[in-house]
Amino acid sequence: MLATLFFLALFGTSFAHETLLSITGTATTSIAPDTGKISVTASTTATGAEAAQAGNAGKATRLFAALTALNATKVSTDSLSLTQNYNYSASPAVLTGYTASMSVSFQIARVNDSGNAVDAVVRSGGVDSVDSVSFIASDSRSQEATAFATKGAINDAQAQASAVTSQLGLCIAGIKSINTNPQQAPAPVFPKFEAMADTVAAPSTPVQIGEISISASVDFVFILSPC
């Protein structure tokens, strides 16, 4: 919380110039995430480029079938690549094969189902690694929380301005400028882990959701005058 008083006219003389008060109000609120965001990768290595690409296409088909069954939303193919592999211990380096790779992200509307979603895509045989699992707020909840935090920041700025002006015997005559700065703290993210061959027999993946902090700051420049 910052308050800075700029006198552009000498106190006690006529207010021929503007007397300005710069205030930054802040506020923070926390909300529970309601959406899971998951990123996965499928990759296949083969001696030939066509075989690598075909193998990964099969994994992609199984992955997208699993995502359809999960009612996943905002499914996006984030990257698609085919790279050459070399044995660099030989001189010159020898081409040993190709690796096809595809990264996909998607969202699960019921955040508590995120662990089950990870299990389902791994069991499908369509992924080789789970790159990240994070928890976010849906657009509507995020907007509501941002509006709430912004309102709190405005109230904080007004309280600061009132404290300053009451001590100086001045009154707020108007507002010269306002600038809002909403901020959302990063959502909790689980680190990448590799899909294991015995995942079918593994217990369900547990997740701990936590909370998301949404902060807002509002910069005011008030115009002051004698009361």
Side-chain angles (χ1 to χ4, degrees), residues 7 19 59 86-87 94 154 163-164 166 183 210 217:
F7 281 103
T19 301
K59 290 183 179 181
Y86 286 89
N87 176 6
V94 177
I154 292 172
V164 172
S166 64
Q183 296 180 344
S217 63

Side-chain angles (χ1 to χ4, degrees), residues 14 18 23 28 35 47 56-57 90 98 111 117 119 134 137 143-144 147 177-178 187 189 195 203 210-211 220:
S14 63
E18 287 183 330
I23 293 279
T28 300
T35 302
T47 55
N56 221 46
Y98 297 82
V111 68
D119 297 337
S134 60
Q143 289 169 2
E144 290 175 3
S177 67
I178 303 175
V189 178
E211 290 187 330
F220 281 91

Side-chain angles (χ1 to χ4, degrees), residues 4-213:
T4 305
L5 184 63
F6 296 102
F7 281 103
L8 302 183
L10 292 175
F11 185 78
T13 64
S14 63
F15 281 69
H17 302 285
E18 287 183 330
T19 301
L20 305 178
L21 174 64
S22 177
I23 293 279
T24 297
T26 62
T28 300
T29 187
S30 296
I31 59 174
D34 59 357
T35 302
K37 185 176 181 180
I38 301 170
S39 297
V40 297
T41 296
S43 60
T44 301
T45 298
T47 55
E50 186 175 351
Q53 193 69 23
N56 221 46
K59 290 183 179 181
T61 298
R62 293 191 291 274
L63 170 60
F64 289 129
L67 295 181
T68 298
L70 289 168
N71 294 318
T73 60
K74 297 189 177 180
V75 178
S76 171
T77 300
D78 298 325
S79 67
L80 192 65
S81 66
L82 179 66
T83 59
Q84 296 176 324
N85 302 322
Y86 286 89
N87 176 6
Y88 290 101
S89 63
S91 182
V94 177
L95 177 66
T96 58
Y98 297 82
T99 297
S101 181
M102 178 186 67
S103 295
V104 174
S105 62
F106 59 94
Q107 294 185 11
I108 298 296
R110 291 170 56 88
V111 68
N112 290 322
D113 290 339
S114 298
N116 292 333
V118 169
D119 297 337
V121 296
V122 171
R123 281 196 300 266
S124 73
V127 303
D128 294 284
S129 66
V130 178
D131 302 319
S132 68
V133 179
S134 60
F135 306 114
I136 62 175
S138 60
D139 292 342
S140 59
R141 283 177 57 80
S142 182
Q143 289 169 2
E144 290 175 3
T146 298
F148 183 81
T150 300
K151 182 178 180 180
I154 292 172
N155 290 338
D156 179 48
Q158 290 176 326
Q160 290 186 67
S162 177
V164 172
T165 56
S166 64
Q167 291 295 315
L168 297 176
L170 300 174
C171 289
I172 295 175
I175 298 174
K176 190 174 185 68
S177 67
I178 303 175
N179 184 41
T180 61
N181 305 286
Q183 296 180 344
Q184 180 169 319
V189 178
F190 286 85
K192 175 178 179 177
F193 64 89
E194 301 299 320
M196 304 300 291
D198 60 353
T199 302
V200 174
S204 177
T205 301
V207 294
Q208 294 183 343
I209 309 304
E211 290 187 330
I212 297 173
S213 294

